Amino acid sequence: MSDNDGKKTLGLRGSRPGQVKQSFSHGRTKNVVVETKRKRVVVPKQGAAAGGAASPAKGDPRKRPGGISDAEMERRLKALQAAKAREAGEKVKREAEEKAREEERRRRREEAEAKERAEREREEALKAKAEEEARKKREAEEAAKRPKAAPKPDPAAAQAAEARGAKTPSATTRKKDDRGNADAQRQNRSKGRDDNRRSGKLTLNQALSGDRGGRQRSVASMRRQQERARQKALGGNVEREKVVRDVQVPEAIVVSELANRMAERVADVVKSLMKMGMMVTQNQSIDADTAELIIEEFGHKIVRVSDADVEDVIHQVEDKEEDLESRAPVITIMGHVDHGKTSLLDAIRDAKVTAGEAGGITQHIGAYQVQTDDGVTLSFLDTPGHAAFTSMRARGAQVTDIVVLVVAADDSVMPQTIEAINHAKAAEVPMIVAINKCDKPAADPDKVRAELLQHEVIVEKMSGEVQDVEVSAVTGQGLDALLEAIALQSEILELKANPERAASGAVIEAQLDVGRGPVATVLVQNGTLKQGDIFVVGEQWGRVRALINDKGDRVKEAGPSVPVEVLGLNGTPEAGDVLNVVDTEAQAREIAEYREHAAKEKRAAAGAATTLEQMMAKAKADKDVAELPILVKADVQGSAEAIVQAMEKIGNDEVRVRVLHYGVGAITETDIGLAEASGSPVIGFNVRANTPARNSANQKGVEIRYYSVIYDLVDDVKAAASGLLSAEVRENFIGYSEIREVFKVSGVGKVAGCLVTEGVARRSAGVRLLRDNVVIHEGTLKTLKRFKDEVKEVQSGQECGMAFENYDDIRPGDVIEIFEREEIARTLD
């Protein structure tokens, strides 16, 4: 008990009292008494580690915390001992690591001091050597000035004394200054590093002007500076002499290409453009005026070229006679459809080609090579005979050396036979006539020869110069004679080419393969086309990724007269385009872009009317013409071209077929979208629609029609176009009636009392009102009555009442002509 009113102050047992001053708003404070309780730490005595009865805590329960068993107390003691042991181990480990770090720091410091000491000694030795040389030089000069009688001092003794004198102060002061100099150098280095850190960000103006704003120079920059200093010390030219170049610039040029033509760094050109305010990259194009400013800034001369000059890189050089080598002849097989062209080539190749063609007719230009028994190589082109493939036959005649005209002995000369003759004559190509199907009973070869006379083709049996051979693709008759005739004709032509020059050739066919991309069948005409060559063909360009011959094997190169499939184009070329190999991708891309631009302008100019009157006349003419729009997708370029030409021939003055778009490859969603917008069907020739396109067509209700034979396609389109023709209307006169009297009926108007004089009068028929044999009204009947009843028709000789729809000017004596209209469907011939 305390003396405070007999009450004991509340507090914590074993605590230490203290005061805390609390501060409040408005300057108020308050002192609070607080008590701090010390944490009880259980420290076992020396014998506690052994456990058992030796531990007083374990043996005397009164000195143990409440509620703790003997086992728990033992576990706590063990944990405490383990913690102390772990702390002791970690302390030893930390001491060892600290000692190792101290040793490493001391070792590095000693190495740095030794290095600095060695460097200083080397510098002092060099300085002493230089002073010694200067002293010797001075002594020599003084000795030369002294009189010869003066005694000469001993140079060896003087040198030894001076060496001792010079060595003594260096040895005594070196040890004192080593540590101080090392510390001063370390401080200077750290000070310079701290001062240079975070000196500021690099701005665009600093980068363009060359001010690096405190940034460290690159190793290459330091080397260039050292090289310039060395050149200057040796007395050489620090800067190389500027080479002024003539730079050819088209209307637009890529920045990297401009730098390449000037032989300047691309970064310098981009920097100059940025200084002019043009933020461009090396892959962007600039116009010729901007390029001229850049060229003048770099000290070069500009040579402006037109867009057409880009094709000058395709050199048309004349080959020397000694460079020419013999090449295989290119033979094109032409003739009417179903006259056996492909079967004849099949017999020569001993392969099955016809079986792979839809409907047994050729719809592509096939290119093959055949090796004869004599070791002579022949290149054959098989052209389609159908009327739609006119352009294909023309292409075959243009790239060929010899034309083999196949005429069936039982069918004689037909329209496509005449067309093939005209193509061969236009191309000025020698012709060999192969009279096929001579094994048939109805074969008449003499009739074929006689009919060929009408088209100025005189065969040898008719005392002409054109070779003719009777053959049979089925039995093999006359095949050897045909090959001999071809070999003889090729010997007469003396076909030669230079295989060592840049390759050039003609595209026979082109298609878009799903797995391989754009593929072109090319007949190499000159030079050798190799894998990796960069080429331009029409409006496309590319690099030869692979060459595949007619047997499906990959080859590394293709010489003259060799047909190959070329992979690696960036797009599908047109059949008939010329392939030329160029030096660089930039040239190929430039030529292709120029050709594409020129073709686009040409198409735009052809489609645009020149005057307003012509535009009005064309719009008026098109207003009365019904159009059937279609989209065409084909497997190869030649087939698409043939289909478009066939579609253009369908129609007359009232209806025509309009091909909105045609292309090569599968039918895509883009085609379906265009077809939906124009309300046209999509025609696929030997191609199919992909899955997204099929789903889109089903949703949008676009019709897709598939064909594999061009006959069926043309017939179906012709039938669809015939449906757009307005039906022919014929009028059949069924009766005449004469107006005897005119009555006025309230609510109806004027009603004519008539007598049917001829035929029959029907209410549903058309009527004309004739007055003095002149038609004054044509319309329909509003009412037809006999007595008071409404009737459908009135026979001849009977009287009736008639009223016209919206017409009242009727008089007695007028004649009513009654007729019916009949619509007759028309078709396109």
Side-chain angles (χ1 to χ4, degrees), residues 167-169 286 310 354 378 384 486 555 582 594 600 641 752 767 786 815 829:
K167 183 178 180 182
T168 303
I286 57 175
V310 297
T354 310
L378 305 176
I486 293 172
V555 293
V582 294
Y594 162 70
K600 191 180 294 182
E641 182 183 321
V767 291
R786 177 160 172 76
V815 177
D829 296 331

Side-chain angles (χ1 to χ4, degrees), residues 566-617:
V566 179
L567 279 69
L569 294 103
N570 71 324
T572 307
E574 296 286 336
D577 287 342
V578 178
L579 180 144
N580 293 101
V581 173
V582 294
D583 297 331
T584 63
E585 283 190 13
Q587 292 176 348
R589 190 186 299 109
E590 206 170 6
I591 295 171
E593 288 176 354
Y594 162 70
R595 289 178 176 175
E596 183 179 4
H597 182 68
K600 191 180 294 182
E601 286 186 347
K602 186 177 180 181
R603 287 193 292 266
T610 55
T611 63
L612 182 62
E613 288 78 7
Q614 290 178 348
M615 290 178 64
M616 296 288 288

Side-chain angles (χ1 to χ4, degrees), residues 470-530:
E470 296 182 7
V471 296
S472 172
V474 178
T475 62
Q477 170 192 346
L479 295 182
D480 294 336
L482 178 61
L483 293 177
E484 288 177 5
I486 293 172
L488 176 61
Q489 188 65 57
S490 63
E491 287 180 8
I492 295 173
L493 294 175
E494 296 182 354
L495 302 171
K496 293 183 178 181
N498 179 12
E500 302 300 327
R501 59 174 291 177
S504 63
V507 177
I508 302 300
E509 194 56 271
Q511 61 182 340
L512 183 62
D513 194 290
V514 175
R516 301 183 297 172
V519 180
T521 302
V522 177
L523 177 67
V524 181
Q525 295 173 307
N526 217 335
T528 302
L529 186 62
K530 302 175 184 177

Side-chain angles (χ1 to χ4, degrees), residues 76-367:
R76 290 191 178 189
L77 291 176
K78 287 182 180 180
L80 183 61
Q81 292 169 6
K84 285 189 174 183
R86 189 163 54 249
E87 286 180 0
E90 290 178 354
K91 183 178 180 181
V92 173
K93 186 177 179 182
R94 281 196 302 272
E95 290 175 353
E97 290 177 354
E98 185 66 27
K99 187 176 180 180
R101 281 196 292 270
E102 184 65 27
E103 285 289 331
E104 180 68 19
R105 283 195 292 269
R106 185 181 61 77
R107 185 183 61 79
R108 290 183 180 178
R109 186 166 57 249
E110 289 177 355
E111 288 179 355
E113 290 174 356
K115 187 175 180 181
E116 292 172 358
R117 190 163 51 249
E119 183 69 21
R120 193 161 52 250
E121 289 177 357
R122 188 178 66 82
E123 291 177 355
E124 289 176 356
L126 291 174
K127 186 177 180 181
K129 185 178 179 181
E131 291 176 354
E132 179 66 19
E133 290 177 354
R135 188 187 60 76
K136 285 182 179 181
K137 189 175 180 181
R138 283 197 308 273
E139 287 181 356
E141 291 176 354
E142 291 175 359
K145 293 178 182 179
R146 290 174 188 164
K148 293 183 179 180
K152 296 183 179 179
D154 187 0
Q159 183 176 359
E162 288 190 8
R164 284 195 303 272
K167 183 178 180 182
T168 303
S170 175
T172 56
T173 59
R174 183 182 302 118
K175 293 182 179 179
K176 295 181 180 179
D177 296 338
D178 281 349
R179 187 175 299 276
N181 291 336
D183 294 339
Q185 288 181 5
R186 281 198 298 273
Q187 290 176 3
N188 291 335
R189 283 199 301 270
S190 63
K191 182 180 179 182
R193 183 170 63 249
D194 293 340
D195 292 342
N196 290 333
R197 290 184 64 202
R198 304 186 181 277
S199 58
K201 295 182 180 179
L202 179 67
T203 62
L204 184 61
N205 291 331
Q206 290 173 346
L208 294 178
S209 62
D211 183 8
R212 296 184 176 271
R215 295 177 65 189
Q216 289 186 350
R217 299 176 65 180
S218 65
V219 177
S221 176
M222 297 291 290
R223 285 176 179 171
R224 287 195 295 269
Q225 184 182 11
Q226 293 173 359
E227 180 66 19
R228 286 194 294 269
R230 190 176 67 83
Q231 291 286 346
K232 189 174 182 180
L234 294 175
N237 293 329
V238 178
E239 297 290 340
R240 291 183 299 174
E241 186 179 352
K242 183 73 174 180
V243 178
V244 179
R245 304 178 186 275
D246 292 334
V247 183
Q248 293 186 350
V249 179
E251 293 300 322
I253 187 171
V254 181
V255 174
S256 58
E257 179 65 20
L258 177 62
N260 186 26
R261 294 184 183 186
M262 292 191 300
E264 303 286 350
R265 294 195 309 168
V266 179
D268 295 338
V269 177
V270 173
K271 188 183 294 185
S272 298
L273 287 167
M274 285 185 175
K275 286 182 179 179
M276 295 168 56
M278 296 182 63
M279 299 298 170
V280 296
T281 63
Q282 63 177 358
N283 297 322
Q284 288 181 267
S285 297
I286 57 175
D287 55 19
D289 296 334
T290 307
E292 183 176 2
L293 296 175
I294 296 296
I295 291 169
E296 291 176 352
E297 183 177 345
F298 280 90
H300 300 289
K301 296 180 181 178
I302 185 172
V303 179
R304 293 229 184 193
V305 295
S306 64
D307 291 340
D309 293 341
V310 297
E311 297 197 15
D312 292 344
V313 297
I314 302 175
H315 302 292
Q316 300 292 339
V317 295
E318 292 291 334
D319 296 318
K320 297 180 181 179
E321 188 66 30
E322 57 269 18
D323 296 335
L324 298 177
E325 297 179 10
S326 298
R327 65 172 178 86
V330 180
I331 303 104
T332 301
I333 298 181
M334 303 174 75
H336 191 70
V337 65
D338 288 337
H339 275 204
K341 299 180 295 299
T342 307
S343 300
L344 185 62
L345 180 59
D346 180 20
I348 295 174
R349 295 179 61 225
D350 194 21
K352 297 296 180 184
V353 179
T354 310
E357 293 287 355
I361 65 168
T362 301
Q363 303 181 104
H364 311 126
I365 289 186

Side-chain angles (χ1 to χ4, degrees), residues 353-580:
V353 179
T354 310
E357 293 287 355
I361 65 168
T362 301
Q363 303 181 104
H364 311 126
I365 289 186
Y368 316 99
Q369 275 199 321
V370 176
Q371 196 85 15
T372 63
D373 297 335
D374 300 335
V376 180
T377 302
L378 305 176
S379 298
F380 281 94
L381 300 180
D382 183 17
T383 63
H386 189 266
F389 297 97
T390 302
S391 57
M392 282 195 184
R393 284 191 295 277
R395 261 198 310 279
Q398 289 169 2
V399 300
T400 191
D401 300 314
I402 302 169
V403 169
V404 175
L405 182 64
V406 178
V407 186
D410 61 340
D411 207 9
S412 194
V413 177
M414 298 298 285
Q416 272 67 60
T417 310
I418 301 169
E419 188 182 290
I421 292 171
N422 295 332
H423 286 318
K425 287 182 178 179
E428 298 181 355
V429 178
M431 190 187 310
I432 298 174
V433 178
I435 304 175
N436 195 18
K437 301 184 181 181
C438 290
D439 57 316
K440 288 194 173 183
D444 189 358
D446 292 333
K447 179 184 177 183
V448 173
R449 297 187 181 98
E451 290 190 4
L452 287 174
L453 290 174
Q454 302 176 9
H455 306 286
E456 299 178 357
V457 177
I458 307 172
V459 298
E460 289 180 344
K461 285 196 175 181
M462 296 287 186
S463 303
E465 297 180 354
V466 179
Q467 299 183 75
D468 64 314
V469 184
E470 296 182 7
V471 296
S472 172
V474 178
T475 62
Q477 170 192 346
L479 295 182
D480 294 336
L482 178 61
L483 293 177
E484 288 177 5
I486 293 172
L488 176 61
Q489 188 65 57
S490 63
E491 287 180 8
I492 295 173
L493 294 175
E494 296 182 354
L495 302 171
K496 293 183 178 181
N498 179 12
E500 302 300 327
R501 59 174 291 177
S504 63
V507 177
I508 302 300
E509 194 56 271
Q511 61 182 340
L512 183 62
D513 194 290
V514 175
R516 301 183 297 172
V519 180
T521 302
V522 177
L523 177 67
V524 181
Q525 295 173 307
N526 217 335
T528 302
L529 186 62
K530 302 175 184 177
Q531 189 171 348
D533 282 348
I534 300 168
F535 62 89
V536 59
V537 49
E539 301 174 24
Q540 312 298 333
W541 67 278
R543 182 190 292 269
V544 179
R545 194 170 74 240
L547 296 173
I548 302 173
N549 62 12
D550 60 319
K551 298 179 181 64
D553 301 328
R554 287 204 172 197
V555 293
K556 293 292 184 182
E557 58 183 28
S561 301
V562 178
V564 286
E565 281 188 343
V566 179
L567 279 69
L569 294 103
N570 71 324
T572 307
E574 296 286 336
D577 287 342
V578 178
L579 180 144
N580 293 101

